[in-house]
């Protein structure tokens, strides 16, 4: 018998079909989203503390507090995004006469975070490698030109850009899981579920490509 994680990743149609008639269970999806959020929070905290030499002296004493606040905010934000994603898919599927409890949509979206956890771990590793090999210069953040040049230097890091590209690839994988999850959660066809999930995901990917400077 295969593990459910492999079923989610490799055969989401069978996984969600088997769960279609069961009551929604949100504990496992909640834990998956929480893990992804915690990994993202660790990445943000490492980045924040590494930037210490670049910050004005009067701010350096608050880096720890800012880092912790940012990390906690990212965890909370990840849970909010989970709910928003489920609401968006739930609302869009209504145009295809979708039926089904909102909790089933939350469950489906949560299971789709399995590849996003892998993506977050890779991003954490790439960020750590970047921070280990990069010396942050002292920056006058009151100078818009200096601040913009600093941000551009970070944005063009090959390691960080590789993380963003991999993030898009794993997002497409997650979207494939969401398609079958929403199909059974809302009792709609695979084609309709692909539209419900695909439209917002493609819009987000286009936004990410623009951020990368490709367009």
């Amino acid at each position: 018998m295969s593990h459910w994680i492999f079923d989610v990743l490799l055969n989401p149609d069978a996984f969600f079909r088997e769960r279609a008639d069961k009551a929604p269970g949100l504990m496992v999806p909640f834990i998956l989203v929480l893990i992804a959020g915690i990994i993202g929070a660790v990445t943000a905290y490492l980045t924040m503390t590494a930037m210490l030499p670049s910050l004005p002296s009067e701010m350096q004493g608050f880096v720890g507090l800012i880092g912790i606040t940012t990390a906690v905010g990212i965890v909370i934000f990840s849970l909010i995004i989970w709910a928003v994603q489920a609401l968006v898919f739930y609302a869009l599927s209504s145009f295809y006469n979708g039926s089904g409890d909102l909790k089933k949509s939350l469950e489906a979206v949560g299971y789709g975070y399995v590849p996003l956890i892998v993506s977050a771990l890779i991003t954490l590793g790439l960020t750590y490698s970047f921070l280990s090999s990069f010396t942050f210069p002292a920056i006058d953040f009151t100078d818009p030109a200096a601040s913009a040049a600093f941000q551009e230097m970070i944005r063009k890091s090959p390691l960080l850009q590789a993380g963003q590209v991999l993030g898009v690839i794993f997002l497409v994988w997650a979207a494939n899981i969401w398609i079958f999850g929403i199909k059974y959660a809302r009792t709609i066809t695979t084609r309709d579920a692909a539209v419900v999930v695909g439209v917002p995901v493609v819009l987000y990917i286009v936004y990410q490509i623009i951020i990368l400077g490709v367009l």
Side-chain angles (χ1 to χ4, degrees), residues 23 27 37 58 64 68-69 103 105 111-112 123 146 159 182 190-192 206 212:
M27 181 56 69
E58 60 272 18
I68 292 173
T69 302
K103 288 182 179 178
S105 296
Y111 277 112
T123 299
L159 280 175
I182 293 300
T190 303
R191 183 187 65 83
D192 293 344
V206 170
L212 284 170

Side-chain angles (χ1 to χ4, degrees), residues 67-89:
I68 292 173
T69 302
T70 302
V72 172
I74 288 176
V75 173
I76 295 173
F77 185 68
S78 67
L79 296 171
I80 293 174
I81 288 296
W82 171 36
V84 170
Q85 283 179 284
L87 283 170
V88 169
F89 295 156

